[in-house]
Amino acid sequence: MQRTEHHASFGGRQEVWQHASTSTGTDMKVGVYLPPAALKGEQCPVLYWLSGLTCTEQNFITKAGAQQFAAEHNLILVAPDTSPRGEGVANDDAYDLGQGAGFYLNATQAPWAPHFRMEDYVVQELPALIEQHFPASAARGIFGHSMGGHGALTLALRHPGKYKSVSAFSPIVAPSQVPWGQKALKAYRGDDPAAWKQHDTVALIAGATERLPLLVDQGDADEFLAEHLRPELLQAACDKAGHPLTLRMQPGYDHSYYFIASFMADHLAHHARALRPER
């Protein structure tokens, strides 16, 4: 791993690292915030952030205002890029497919399959690297926004025991039922709707073997709410399955990082209660 950026922040340090990924077969960039306790060598829990469509590792670390609260709770924050990138990596002219739009799954279809293996990267490869190179404990949480909210929820549901906490901002909760998700799932996973449901939070809730409490914030002025996000489907699925969900509709908020930053403190506190129960 090669460090490409470092900045003092709230008594800790915001860094950016680059490394060759065995999962994607490309170089990947990842933001890592080390809180004050980690700089002193104390093992700290790790909270993984998954960003939305078109984002890189930079959006979260520069716009979310999360470092202040990660320092307060002594949580390491890890924010990877949203997809593989580079020469020879398949792409599409649209913003919602290809580079910048990995959807946090392993693609099985050409031309995406060789590099678009973001599920393996986020769930297996990246935690192993973080726990090898930083003072990170094995306690992990995961959260994200939009496409990244979809990723956080589905990866937590698909890998019980991997994470101790999960939350999301304006997630795509039913990708097999909405245009963003249908386009990506068909391209990456093929024409079989059964394969799509393996990466659909609403479909996965019914068979969940672990009942991690879900915290979801959604702005009611979000321009993507009715067509692409559909939080009412998540509420109905959780009600039917008895899965713990706190869904908060936030009046006047849109899909932007202004919304995310406004409720970041609540999400960090939610994760800290699970990741640092001794505090």
Side-chain angles (χ1 to χ4, degrees):
M1 294 183 72
Q2 177 184 0
R3 191 173 70 175
T4 60
E5 288 185 40
H6 59 98
H7 312 279
S9 180
F10 293 98
R13 190 165 61 232
Q14 178 64 60
E15 303 181 339
V16 177
W17 291 78
Q18 182 172 306
H19 70 96
S21 168
T22 57
S23 302
T24 67
T26 66
D27 285 345
M28 294 293 292
K29 289 185 176 180
V30 56
V32 179
Y33 177 72
L34 300 172
L39 293 186
K40 296 174 184 174
E42 177 186 324
Q43 280 205 327
C44 295
V46 184
L47 181 53
Y48 291 86
W49 169 267
L50 305 182
S51 289
L53 289 167
T54 76
C55 290
T56 71
E57 80 289 342
Q58 290 290 326
N59 297 71
F60 175 75
I61 68 176
T62 58
K63 294 181 178 181
Q67 292 90 346
Q68 176 180 355
F69 309 112
E72 176 186 335
H73 297 294
N74 277 308
L75 300 175
I76 295 173
L77 286 176
V78 175
D81 200 351
T82 50
S83 78
R85 299 179 192 268
E87 220 172 305
V89 176
N91 200 12
D92 190 273
D93 290 337
Y95 74 95
D96 54 355
L97 189 67
Q99 295 184 36
F103 271 82
Y104 304 104
L105 49 74
N106 292 337
T108 58
Q109 305 300 302
W112 314 104
H115 299 294
F116 281 72
R117 305 193 63 79
M118 289 299 291
E119 181 170 14
D120 283 353
Y121 177 71
V122 170
V123 176
Q124 305 297 340
E125 182 180 4
L126 186 56
L129 283 170
I130 294 299
E131 289 162 27
Q132 176 186 353
H133 291 282
F134 301 96
S137 74
R140 307 175 201 94
I142 191 166
F143 68 150
H145 170 237
S146 193
M147 176 185 73
H150 143 81
L153 295 173
T154 56
L155 295 182
L157 289 165
R158 285 172 55 79
H159 300 276
K162 189 76 175 183
Y163 305 100
K164 292 182 178 293
S165 58
V166 60
S167 72
F169 294 86
S170 47
I172 307 168
V173 299
S176 67
Q177 300 184 54
V178 302
W180 270 347
Q182 290 169 340
K183 178 179 180 179
L185 291 169
K186 182 174 183 178
Y188 295 144
R189 300 286 297 181
D191 293 327
D192 183 4
W196 301 359
K197 290 184 178 180
Q198 296 171 12
H199 299 276
D200 183 303
T201 297
V202 166
L204 290 168
I205 285 289
T209 59
E210 183 179 46
R211 295 300 187 197
L212 280 182
L214 311 182
L215 170 62
V216 174
D217 273 312
Q218 172 65 62
D220 73 359
D222 190 320
E223 61 269 39
F224 305 114
L225 176 60
E227 185 176 14
H228 296 294
L229 304 180
R230 307 288 305 278
E232 72 280 2
L233 298 177
L234 177 63
Q235 184 71 71
C238 287
D239 288 346
K240 184 176 181 180
H243 197 107
L245 167 68
T246 301
L247 172 61
R248 308 192 306 184
M249 297 299 297
Q250 303 292 0
Y253 284 90
D254 59 19
H255 200 71
S256 71
Y257 267 84
Y258 296 107
F259 161 59
I260 294 169
S262 297
F263 301 100
M264 185 56 61
D266 293 352
H267 282 249
L268 269 288
H270 164 81
H271 289 280
R273 284 191 291 271
L275 296 171
R276 300 195 72 105
E278 74 281 1
R279 287 169 64 91

